Amino acid sequence: MLSNSSEIFQLPGDVSNKIAAGEVVERPINVVKELVENAVDASSEKITVEIAEGGLSLIKVQDDGRGIVPDDIEKSIDRFATSKITDINDVYELYSFGFRGEALAAISSVCDFSLVSKRKGYDCLELKSSFGGQPVVKPAAGTEGTVVTVKNLFGNLPARRKFLKSPNAEQREIVKFIRHFMLTNYHLSLRLIVDEKEYLFFPRNDSMIDRAAKVFKEQKLVYLTNKYENLHIEAVISTPEVQKFRRDNIVLSVNGRVIKDNMLTQSVIQAYKRLIPEGKFPLAAIRLNISPGDMDINVHPAKLFVKFLNSGEIFSFVYGSILEKLESLTPGGYDSDNYTNLNETAETKIKSFQNSYNPEEQVSVSDFLTAVDTSVSSDESDNMEEVYGYDFRIAGQLFNTVIICEFDDFFYMIDQHIAHERILYEKYKAESSVDTASVVLSEPLVIDLEEEEREILISNKKILCDFGFDFESFGGGTVKFSKLPSEILNKDVVSEIKNILEETSRLSKKGLKDSSLVVMSCKSAIKAGEKLSRYEMSHLVNKLLKTKNPFTCPHGRPIIVTQSKEELFKNFHR
Ligand code: ADP
Ligand code: MG
């Protein structure tokens, strides 16, 4: 065996660039994306993209951004040359799209490349390079901004070309990216020219909903916005009557970057769960803004995926924000001053429950928002401060049961189960004073009850009827229900009735007049032992503070235990 031969050696720069190019630039769409993102990073407001043959023969991106100073023009295509970060920590404080300094190096090594750029007050130059060969820089004529022209993409890599789809398919990908990108960056103007004809045009300063109407070609859309700590969402979503067969019309972005993320997609789909049938999907454009430090965008070469530090929090925030908006749209919903529609709403709800309800299914913690949110007014997006403006800070959750929050010079310990019960109690009570939502059954429900249960039913008839029951009792234990409160219709109705009777009996012994309300309020409340996200906690506390009596529960148990900062500090001899 030869002992002094070596098999490992450093690849020449042009070879390593071509290999790296494979990660960043796999297909024409990647080139378009990198060039458009560079234009936006350069503060451009008007961008023109031109493609021919699906990007294979031509991709040209022209912008009106700040341009490149003459001394930097050659550096722009060097690998790891960037003006956007200087330190690795900058990646976590970043608002720009680029930062790796790889794109132009990669792109220019796999095409006939030209970059013409002019910074205000400087000369305009053109850099040309062919398939990674020696760059040539010459004076050129041009206005402020940058034009990058990519011709004969992958002309030097026949193997790569073989993996591409047809020019039409590549073009579709590019058009899709541009639509989605422009949905997210709706203030920007962009013109797309395909095979020498104008294909798309978006003017500057569209509102998000106008832009979404153009991109989705749909009018049944609503706008929403919400914020919680350093999470901010702005979104346009379709009303429930819009039902699509594909989920790829759920467009997600984080800090302006279009991303794919299954968790976020699910948070949108789940919010529509009871409104549109399974297997159908809404249209949605979600713009999420989070502190760059709360996510990692450096986990995918094309930055298509991101990693969130706290994905549970983000899930419930997006889910809750969309759900709240959707509930406010429900005709005759609980917020409406028109209660005559209540039955109709209940009926629609039941139908969709019957279609979608699966008793085996676990109800997620986030589902509690459904019950809570119905009391939020519909036009709250304009005065979010009023809804979310209580100035408390959620400090955390103890034993998955007690929420700790801080408010002025006090701290509060809130029992999550009892708090939720209070919120539901007041909600139900408000409804029952104008007749509880109930549903007249087209076929009466006939069930057999124990003798004792039947007695409770009869002796509490008024309370139960107030709550939306109506029934007739026959001989033996047979009872015929003709009306049921809509609240129990998505549950196992018979065992729900039995539970209610048991609770009613227990509470009426204590002399509670509106015992059925109390019963109801226990039913769907969040339990002790359920882990809540901070958003869910904050939401719950906000609702609690709006109730008439946030301090004690309908059974008389305390909800909030409080102590002052002073008292607390005394323990530490401060
Ligand atoms: P990155 O975007 O990661 O910094 P690129 O290879 O995409 O890396 O670009 C390298 C550098 O070239 C950028 O940091 C920027 O300074 C400059 N540049 C690229 N495109 C443009 C443009 N359209 N306008 C102004 N400067 C640009
Ligand atoms: Mg870039």
Side-chain angles (χ1 to χ4, degrees):
M1 204 188 259
L2 294 171
S3 61
N4 62 349
S5 79
S6 164
E7 293 182 339
I8 301 179
F9 55 92
Q10 202 73 39
L11 286 173
D14 64 325
V15 179
S16 60
N17 268 350
K18 275 169 202 151
I19 292 172
E23 284 183 21
V24 182
V25 198
E26 221 180 325
R27 303 175 49 183
I29 163 75
N30 305 124
V31 175
V32 173
K33 177 171 181 285
E34 293 293 339
L35 297 181
V36 169
E37 289 185 346
N38 275 350
V40 178
D41 280 347
S43 309
S44 312
E45 291 177 336
K46 259 173 72 185
I47 302 167
T48 304
V49 178
E50 188 175 348
I51 60 170
E53 271 186 80
L56 288 174
S57 59
L58 173 76
I59 296 173
K60 183 171 165 188
V61 175
Q62 174 162 22
D63 69 52
D64 63 347
R66 79 172 77 86
I68 303 174
V69 293
D71 280 350
D72 279 351
I73 199 150
E74 265 190 77
K75 287 188 215 154
S76 70
I77 61 163
D78 283 350
R79 193 142 181 242
F80 303 128
T82 178
S83 56
K84 297 164 194 174
I85 62 170
T86 53
D87 189 276
I88 185 65
N89 291 319
D90 294 350
V91 172
Y92 301 97
E93 291 302 326
L94 192 77
Y95 281 100
S96 64
F97 289 109
F99 60 84
R100 293 199 213 157
E102 280 186 304
L104 294 188
I107 294 166
S108 64
S109 71
V110 291
C111 68
D112 249 328
F113 181 85
S114 149
L115 180 152
V116 177
S117 195
K118 179 172 165 45
R119 167 81 58 95
K120 194 175 180 181
Y122 289 86
D123 290 338
C124 177
L125 294 181
E126 172 170 24
L127 176 153
K128 277 184 155 186
S129 156
S130 196
F131 300 107
Q134 189 60 34
V136 180
V137 178
K138 281 198 220 141
T143 50
E144 236 170 274
T146 302
V147 188
V148 175
T149 311
V150 167
K151 284 185 179 160
N152 197 8
L153 183 63
F154 303 131
N156 57 337
L157 298 171
R160 172 69 44 86
R161 271 214 169 201
K162 265 194 238 154
F163 280 103
L164 299 180
K165 296 182 185 156
S166 68
N168 267 339
E170 297 295 339
Q171 177 187 320
R172 270 199 300 278
E173 287 294 311
I174 293 172
V175 171
K176 184 169 149 192
F177 163 75
I178 288 187
R179 284 185 199 276
H180 290 182
F181 187 85
M182 295 313 283
L183 194 48
T184 292
N185 296 282
Y186 56 82
H187 56 289
L188 300 176
S189 164
L190 186 142
R191 189 182 302 278
L192 173 66
I193 297 164
V194 174
D195 298 328
E196 298 185 335
K197 285 190 213 82
E198 181 170 300
Y199 194 92
L200 290 174
F201 175 69
F202 299 109
R204 263 191 74 191
N205 291 329
D206 263 349
S207 67
M208 190 175 179
I209 195 157
D210 286 347
R211 181 64 59 90
K214 277 176 217 153
V215 169
F216 289 139
K217 301 193 181 81
E218 174 62 64
Q219 299 298 321
K220 294 190 192 89
L221 301 171
V222 288
Y223 174 82
L224 69 98
T225 167
N226 192 6
K227 67 168 194 267
Y228 168 64
E229 294 190 344
N230 45 23
L231 282 172
H232 182 255
I233 186 178
E234 189 184 22
V236 174
I237 56 171
S238 55
T239 57
E241 63 253 56
V242 178
Q243 300 176 0
K244 299 286 170 192
F245 284 99
R246 296 166 61 96
R247 67 177 71 194
D248 57 2
N249 287 306
I250 298 174
V251 182
L252 309 167
S253 71
V254 178
N255 297 353
R257 190 185 296 279
V258 176
I259 57 149
K260 294 190 172 152
D261 187 275
N262 197 34
M263 178 274 295
L264 276 179
T265 307
Q266 276 306 323
S267 67
V268 177
I269 294 173
Q270 289 298 315
Y272 281 86
K273 198 169 124 200
R274 289 182 171 154
L275 297 169
I276 63 184
E278 234 182 285
K280 295 281 182 63
F281 303 97
L283 299 170
I286 310 290
R287 289 185 88 226
L288 202 59
N289 274 297
I290 78 177
S291 318
D294 288 343
M295 65 171 185
D296 195 346
I297 43 174
N298 201 15
V299 292
H300 184 263
K303 307 185 197 88
L304 262 182
F305 297 88
V306 298
K307 211 163 102 193
F308 295 110
L309 218 57
N310 193 345
S311 49
E313 192 83 59
I314 295 174
F315 179 96
S316 49
F317 174 67
V318 173
Y319 170 84
S321 305
I322 296 178
L323 192 64
E324 198 159 296
K325 186 72 201 179
L326 291 172
E327 299 241 326
S328 76
L329 300 175
T330 316
Y334 300 120
D335 323 321
S336 162
D337 33 25
N338 177 5
Y339 280 92
T340 52
N341 278 333
L342 265 180
N343 278 346
E344 192 187 300
T345 313
E347 195 104 45
T348 338
K349 271 195 178 173
I350 294 151
K351 287 208 180 103
S352 69
F353 283 144
Q354 283 167 343
N355 290 338
S356 70
Y357 180 64
N358 169 7
E360 306 292 326
E361 208 173 349
Q362 278 267 319
V363 177
S364 87
V365 171
S366 309
D367 277 359
F368 87 82
L369 291 166
T370 321
V372 181
D373 283 347
T374 46
S375 58
V376 178
S377 93
S378 59
D379 54 3
E380 69 183 29
S381 52
D382 296 328
N383 53 12
M384 251 162 23
E385 283 307 306
E386 225 176 75
V387 178
Y388 295 95
Y390 291 108
D391 205 13
F392 60 80
R393 192 184 74 82
I394 299 287
Q397 192 185 23
L398 279 180
F399 314 116
N400 289 341
T401 298
V402 176
I403 300 168
I404 310 284
C405 67
E406 164 189 329
F407 190 37
D408 289 341
D409 277 344
F410 288 85
F411 82 94
Y412 296 82
M413 292 176 279
I414 299 171
D415 183 307
Q416 65 193 41
H417 170 72
I418 312 182
H420 194 209
E421 238 180 71
R422 162 57 67 185
I423 295 163
L424 295 174
Y425 172 75
E426 290 201 5
K427 172 182 166 245
Y428 290 130
K429 205 169 158 70
E431 284 159 19
S432 79
S433 65
V434 285
D435 268 345
T436 313
S438 65
V439 171
V440 179
L441 303 172
S442 46
E443 290 239 339
L445 175 75
V446 181
I447 57 175
D448 281 328
L449 294 174
E450 304 288 328
E451 182 54 32
E452 199 188 338
E453 289 169 332
R454 200 178 67 102
E455 266 168 31
I456 302 168
L457 191 77
I458 290 163
S459 55
N460 291 287
K461 183 157 187 175
K462 186 174 178 316
I463 292 167
L464 291 167
C465 287
D466 278 353
F467 203 78
F469 284 101
D470 203 1
F471 53 85
E472 266 178 274
S473 140
F474 298 102
T478 309
V479 179
K480 191 166 94 179
F481 287 89
S482 54
K483 242 169 107 180
L484 292 176
S486 57
E487 293 302 328
I488 69 166
L489 282 157
N490 62 330
K491 300 181 181 147
D492 173 353
V493 175
V494 177
S495 68
E496 197 64 16
I497 292 174
K498 287 175 176 260
N499 284 341
I500 289 169
L501 293 177
E502 198 185 311
E503 280 288 288
T504 308
S505 141
R506 196 170 64 80
L507 293 159
S508 64
K509 280 182 201 136
K510 286 190 181 173
L512 273 168
K513 282 209 190 67
D514 51 2
S515 56
S516 63
L517 297 178
V518 181
V519 173
M520 288 306 186
S521 71
C522 297
K523 288 305 158 196
S524 43
I526 333 168
K527 306 262 176 338
E530 280 186 61
K531 188 169 165 35
L532 303 181
S533 77
R534 282 162 67 84
Y535 176 72
E536 287 169 323
M537 288 190 259
S538 156
H539 203 85
L540 188 71
V541 174
N542 259 307
K543 298 284 182 209
L544 177 69
L545 295 181
K546 287 204 195 84
T547 60
K548 291 197 191 82
N549 187 354
F551 289 96
T552 42
C553 92
H555 307 111
R557 288 195 283 169
I559 302 175
I560 303 182
V561 174
T562 175
Q563 206 181 37
S564 71
K565 181 168 119 190
E566 226 180 341
E567 281 171 290
L568 175 71
F569 284 5
K570 256 191 219 151
N571 298 321
F572 305 105
H573 306 293
R574 274 183 171 268

